[in-house]
Amino acid sequence: MIYFSERYRSAQQEIMDSTEFKGREMKNLLLDLKTVNKYLGGNKGIIKGLDKLLKERKKNGPLTIMDVGCGDGELLRKCHDFGQSRNYSFNFIGIDFNENMLKVAQQRSENYANISFQKVDVILNKELIPNCDIAVCGLFLHHLSENEIEALLKVLLKRTTIGLVINDLQRSRLAFNLFKIFNKLFLTTKTAEHDGLVSIARGFKKQEIINISRNIPGQQSEIHWRWAFRYQWIIKKTV
């Protein structure tokens, strides 16, 4: 049973958060996630936020974009296509703690010479987080507690030269119930159904994001609601 609360973020765990998650179920889930991103705008908030951040902060030479919790690397491939369409010169790093997922990411990105991947547990091994110009987090932070988010963002801000772009879920009962319908119509795996509902229950109210941002020095935050029940959070480095 998956519980939802308007007042509190859920502490329930997602199936995909296990390092043992692999094989056919993982590949089927990735297909479901691609469907979710197609219809519910999973990557658009990141791309638009990246575009805004780049327009405001110019830098000569290639820029390094790092995806935290990169999964199969789809977001980096979308960022690559965006960069080419705007004549940006990008290098990309994807980091994730799941070795099985990274193998899939490497296979699916083999035709992208400027995309590389590293195994990093950003909670247990923050010292291994690479330097970059912009870090992106697409539907990743809801996997963490508020204290873990705050600690991670402070480190990421130190690792970047420009800032961060975050896209994550609004905790909304309407979204929770609508996802049940979406699941029946479009998704195929029990994992997608379970993890999708848990993700929404672990999502954020806007004030919760504001409260986290107030504890992170040396930055300026912009927080915007986006379809479908997402928050786009742009963090501009100021020091």
Side-chain angles (χ1 to χ4, degrees), residues 1-3 9-22 25 29-30 33 36 69 96-98 101 138-145 149 167-169 176 179 189-204:
M1 184 70 177
I2 300 169
Y3 297 97
R9 296 183 61 221
S10 171
Q12 292 174 276
Q13 297 298 306
E14 296 182 42
I15 296 170
M16 69 180 297
D17 283 342
S18 169
T19 55
E20 300 302 315
F21 187 59
K22 58 185 177 180
E25 182 68 9
L29 174 66
L30 290 173
L33 291 178
V36 170
D96 203 290
F97 81 123
N98 189 321
M101 195 75 78
L139 301 182
F140 175 69
L141 292 188
H142 70 263
H143 293 267
L144 312 179
S145 70
I149 293 169
N167 181 50
D168 222 307
L169 298 167
F176 189 80
F179 185 82
T189 64
K190 288 291 185 182
T191 302
E193 177 183 14
H194 175 275
D195 283 9
L197 291 172
V198 170
S199 293
I200 296 168
R202 290 184 63 96
F204 303 92

Side-chain angles (χ1 to χ4, degrees), residues 5 65-66 68 76 92 120 129 168 175 195 204:
S5 169
I65 312 296
M66 177 172 65
V68 182
L76 289 181
F92 299 99
V120 179
I129 297 175
D168 222 307
D195 283 9
F204 303 92

Side-chain angles (χ1 to χ4, degrees), residues 15-44:
I15 296 170
M16 69 180 297
D17 283 342
S18 169
T19 55
E20 300 302 315
F21 187 59
K22 58 185 177 180
R24 176 54 54 189
E25 182 68 9
M26 183 183 76
K27 292 183 178 179
N28 288 339
L29 174 66
L30 290 173
L31 290 174
D32 276 346
L33 291 178
K34 193 166 187 176
T35 300
V36 170
N37 287 333
K38 177 181 178 181
Y39 290 107
L40 302 182
N43 295 318
K44 289 181 181 178

